[in-house]
Amino acid sequence: MGIQLKMGNMGQRKQHMGQRKQHKKFHRSLSERIRAALTTTSNVPKGHFAVYVGEMKRRFVVPLWYLKNPLFQDLLNLAEEEFGFDHPMGGLTIPCSEEYFISLTSALNC
């Protein structure tokens, strides 16, 4: 009975380790995609990232601290729903009008 208990625990450990490997693999692939998006954008100062906004996909360079703002996070959620994590322009595409984006960023900078 003691041997069976040990074998059962080993099976649970292997299953848990397999789940941890899958989580690490997902985390690594997401990090790689973010890193690739950041490195493919040119002329972006340290501490900033590029976004493309509006019908004409106008490029804006915004500070990383925007990512902590709930209003900006709402835009990111819209972008994820519409485009997923694949952004062919090299930066993040945000599905809103330029006017809305400019008013939002102006409010964030106050």
Side-chain angles (χ1 to χ4, degrees):
M1 184 164 180
I3 294 173
Q4 287 178 336
L5 182 59
K6 271 188 171 178
M7 293 298 283
N9 287 341
M10 270 182 35
Q12 288 174 348
R13 281 190 213 142
K14 284 182 180 179
Q15 182 181 10
H16 180 69
M17 288 176 68
Q19 290 171 345
R20 285 180 37 199
K21 284 181 183 179
Q22 286 177 337
H23 177 72
K24 284 183 180 180
K25 184 177 179 181
F26 171 76
H27 181 71
R28 203 172 334 136
S29 66
L30 180 59
S31 297
E32 289 168 2
R33 283 185 268 171
I34 292 170
R35 192 175 311 113
L38 292 175
T39 57
T40 57
T41 57
S42 60
N43 301 322
V44 177
K46 187 174 185 173
H48 293 74
F49 63 103
V51 295
Y52 295 88
V53 179
E55 290 180 24
M56 301 301 290
K57 303 290 186 255
R58 182 172 167 198
R59 184 174 189 252
F60 292 86
V61 177
V62 297
L64 286 173
W65 64 264
Y66 279 11
L67 296 173
K68 292 183 181 181
N69 185 283
L71 294 174
F72 197 81
Q73 289 174 1
D74 288 342
L75 285 179
L76 294 178
N77 288 333
L78 286 174
E80 180 186 8
E81 288 174 13
E82 188 162 328
F83 303 110
F85 290 111
D86 184 26
H87 297 275
M89 304 219 26
L92 187 62
T93 305
I94 297 183
C96 71
S97 69
E98 286 183 37
E99 294 80 20
Y100 177 79
F101 187 79
I102 290 169
S103 66
L104 175 71
T105 55
S106 295
L108 292 177
N109 288 322
C110 290

